[in-house]
Every structure is written in structure tokens, then in C-alpha cells.
């Protein structure tokens, strides 16, 4: 090889499996948000929520575009976003592949999409800490004025690579909906996805509140941070099509692991 000639980086060896049955969730597109963003977030959730034995190969651009009902150009832009994030790699004449060691601690991006919330909360290894019926009290009173009890689920999420705790969540859910929730689904998927895709709740909107707080004793213990160290406290209130609150999520994120990015679309 001539001196100074560039050496091509080796292409990862994934074998040559057929295109998999990888099936991202169907998506009702919101025309007020960029289509490529909505598609990328849906794909991101499916990638991070995949099972351990799932193939790393994705369908073609054309197949994905047809699945989502968007143009190939829009699909290409969505895949480019995931490639920039380090979730996938694209190889000429070979296809698109999920990166086995994909980064999972990306910033939370709030852009008004349910799929964005599902995507952000997917991917980490989840441990169920417990669930129980609890009386509606305190800050929950304003959200559940028509029921005396909710079912509260507590979960701890760990980084899938390092095992380090990243956040812990409490979800207060209406009892009649909790009856249809399988704990095994909550170990794999975020509550938002379970309610929407498994329990079949017609989610109309989610309001998000993010604020800085100090770690209380329980949070410090679960997240392995010093007592009173900074954390990010997220509250998400989920409404159904009738305007009722169906879930109140309170998530404590380690302040040294997460940032929140809000994007405003001017169009």
C-alpha cells in the first residue's frame, strides 16, 4: 500500500441473516411535529426495548418507509438521527444494523410526542421494587378527584451496560387499568407504552414538569448518590381521550447522568 494511503475501517461482522421481522410500533403521525423526528423516536423505542435474542439487522429504508407511511427521504433522515446518536450503523450494500453497545443515556428531548417519552424511558434494565394499592393523598388529590385509591408501581432503572442505577420511578395508575397490567411488561417497557399498546388506553396528552431537587434518603440510597445531592425530578401526567388522568409518573434522575433538551418548532 502506498505511504500515506488511508486504511478503511473494518466493517463489523454480523453475518448475513435475512431481513428480520423487526416491527416498530405503528405510529399515528402528528402533522404539527417533524415526521422524521416522530419516526426516529418510534424506532428508538423499538431498538432500546428489543429482547436480548433479537437480530441486529433492520429492514430496508423502503420497508420502514412503507411501514410508517412516510417517504424514503423522511425515513433516511430519521435513520441518520439514530446513526448520529450511535444506536445504529449503516453499511453500503449490507444494510442497517443496531449497534450492540449502543449508548443508552442520551439526553431527554421534550418535543410534544408520546413516542419521545416512550423512547427516552426505554432501554435501561428495569427492576420492579414493588406495587400496591395506596390511598389518594397529597399531590395526587388534584389528579384523581374521583377515586379514593390508585395502584402505585415503583421501579428502578439501571444502565444496561454498566449496571449503574440511573433513575427510579413511581407511577400512580387507576385501579381498573392496573388490573390489566402484567409486571413482566413493566420490566421491559415504560408505563406509557404498556398503557397505550397493551392496556389500549387512548392517550390524548401528557403534561411534563421538570425541576431540580435534592436527593432524599430513599433516592440517595437507590441511585447511589450522596444525600441532598442534585437530582432532576420529572412529573408526567397522562390523560385519556375523555380528559381523565390515568397515570401520574414521578421519576428521579441522577443529576450527573441526564440533561433535558426542549425543542420548539417555529412552524
Amino acid at each position: 500500500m502506498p505511504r500515506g494511503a488511508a486504511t478503511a475501517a473494518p466493517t463489523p461482522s454480523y453475518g448475513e441473516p435475512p431481513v428480520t421481522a423487526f416491527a416498530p410500533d405503528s405510529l399515528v403521525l402528528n402533522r404539527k411535529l417533524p415526521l422524521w423526528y416522530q419516526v426516529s423516536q418510534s424506532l428508538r423505542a423499538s431498538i432500546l426495548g428489543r429482547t436480548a435474542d433479537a437480530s441486529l439487522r433492520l429492514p430496508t429504508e423502503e420497508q420502514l418507509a412503507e411501514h410508517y407511511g412516510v417517504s424514503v427521504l423522511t425515513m433516511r433522515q430519521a435513520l441518520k438521527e439514530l446513526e448520529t446518536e450511535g444506536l445504529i450503523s449503516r453499511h453500503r450494500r449490507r444494510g442497517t444494523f443496531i449497534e450492540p453497545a449502543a449508548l443508552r443515556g442520551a439526553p431527554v428531548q421534550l418535543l410534544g410526542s408520546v413516542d419521545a417519552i416512550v423512547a427516552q424511558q426505554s432501554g435501561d434494565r428495569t427492576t420492579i421494587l414493588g406495587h400496591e394499592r395506596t390511598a389518594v393523598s397529597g399531590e395526587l388529590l388534584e389528579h384523581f378527584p374521583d377515586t379514593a385509591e390508585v395502584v402505585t408501581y415503583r421501579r428502578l432503572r439501571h444502565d444496561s451496560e454498566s449496571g449503574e442505577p440511573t433513575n427510579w420511578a413511581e407511577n400512580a395508575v387507576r385501579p381498573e387499568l392496573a388490573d390489566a397490567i402484567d409486571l413482566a411488561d413493566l420490566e421491559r417497557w415504560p408505563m406509557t407504552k404498556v398503557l397505550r399498546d397493551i392496556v389500549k388506553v387512548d392517550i390524548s396528552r401528557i403534561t411534563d414538569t421538570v425541576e431540580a431537587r435534592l436527593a432524599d434518603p430513599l433516592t440517595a440510597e437507590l441511585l447511589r448518590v450522596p444525600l441532598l445531592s442534585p437530582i432532576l425530578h420529572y412529573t408526567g401526567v397522562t390523560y385519556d381521550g375523555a380528559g381523565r388522568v390515568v397515570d401520574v409518573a414521578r421519576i428521579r434522575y441522577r443529576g450527573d447522568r441526564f440533561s433535558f433538551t426542549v425543542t420548539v418548532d417555529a412552524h
Side-chain angles (χ1 to χ4, degrees):
M1 178 181 296
R3 180 176 297 177
T7 302
T11 300
S13 175
Y14 297 94
E16 292 295 338
V19 173
T20 71
F22 176 83
D25 297 333
S26 58
L27 181 63
V28 178
L29 295 172
N30 182 341
R31 298 294 167 178
K32 295 182 179 180
L33 297 173
L35 297 183
W36 67 265
Y37 172 82
Q38 296 176 73
V39 171
S40 71
Q41 292 303 300
S42 179
L43 270 172
R44 187 180 190 276
S46 293
I47 289 171
L48 294 181
R50 69 191 185 278
T51 57
D53 59 350
S55 173
L56 296 176
R57 189 171 188 175
L58 266 62
T60 65
E61 289 179 353
E62 291 77 11
Q63 289 171 318
L64 289 171
E66 181 179 359
H67 175 82
Y68 282 111
V70 297
S71 69
V72 172
L73 185 62
T74 295
M75 193 69 243
R76 194 166 295 157
Q77 189 174 3
L79 291 173
K80 182 178 179 182
E81 176 72 10
L82 297 178
E83 185 178 27
T84 300
E85 192 177 336
L87 290 177
I88 64 173
S89 60
R90 308 172 74 189
H91 306 281
R92 187 176 180 83
R93 294 189 295 274
R94 292 195 53 221
T96 301
F97 297 85
I98 299 170
E99 283 294 322
L103 177 67
R104 299 180 185 256
V108 179
Q109 295 191 25
L110 305 179
L111 197 62
S113 165
V114 171
D115 284 277
I117 293 174
V118 170
Q120 175 57 40
Q121 296 174 5
S122 298
D124 286 343
R125 179 167 54 85
T126 301
T127 300
I128 306 295
L129 300 176
H131 72 291
E132 59 187 348
R133 282 182 176 255
T134 55
V136 174
S137 60
E139 62 187 42
L140 294 179
L141 285 170
E142 65 174 297
H143 301 301
F144 297 104
D146 58 338
T147 182
E149 290 186 324
V150 291
V151 177
T152 299
Y153 296 86
R154 297 178 179 86
R155 292 169 295 152
L156 177 64
R157 297 190 182 100
H158 304 262
D159 181 88
S160 297
E161 301 299 328
S162 67
E164 187 177 46
T166 58
N167 64 86
W168 80 278
E170 287 182 297
N171 289 83
V173 180
R174 288 183 174 275
E176 64 271 22
L177 300 178
D179 290 341
I181 294 175
D182 190 326
L183 291 182
D185 290 326
L186 284 181
E187 289 182 339
R188 180 181 178 191
W189 299 111
M191 179 65 78
T192 305
K193 178 178 176 63
V194 171
L195 289 174
R196 184 188 66 177
D197 297 344
I198 298 176
V199 184
K200 302 301 182 182
V201 174
D202 176 23
I203 295 178
S204 63
R205 63 189 173 96
I206 300 176
T207 62
D208 302 313
T209 304
V210 181
E211 57 185 314
R213 290 191 183 180
L214 300 179
D216 57 40
L218 178 58
T219 296
E221 178 183 356
L222 290 175
L223 300 185
R224 302 178 195 168
V225 297
L227 182 66
L228 302 181
S229 62
I231 63 166
L232 291 174
H233 188 282
Y234 163 89
T235 302
V237 182
T238 301
Y239 297 81
D240 65 12
R244 296 188 316 162
V245 172
V246 295
D247 170 42
V248 176
R250 291 163 291 179
I251 308 176
R252 291 84 166 175
Y253 292 91
R254 283 182 54 159
D256 60 344
R257 300 260 320 173
F258 288 90
S259 63
F260 282 76
T261 302
V262 180
T263 302
V264 178
D265 184 6
H267 301 288

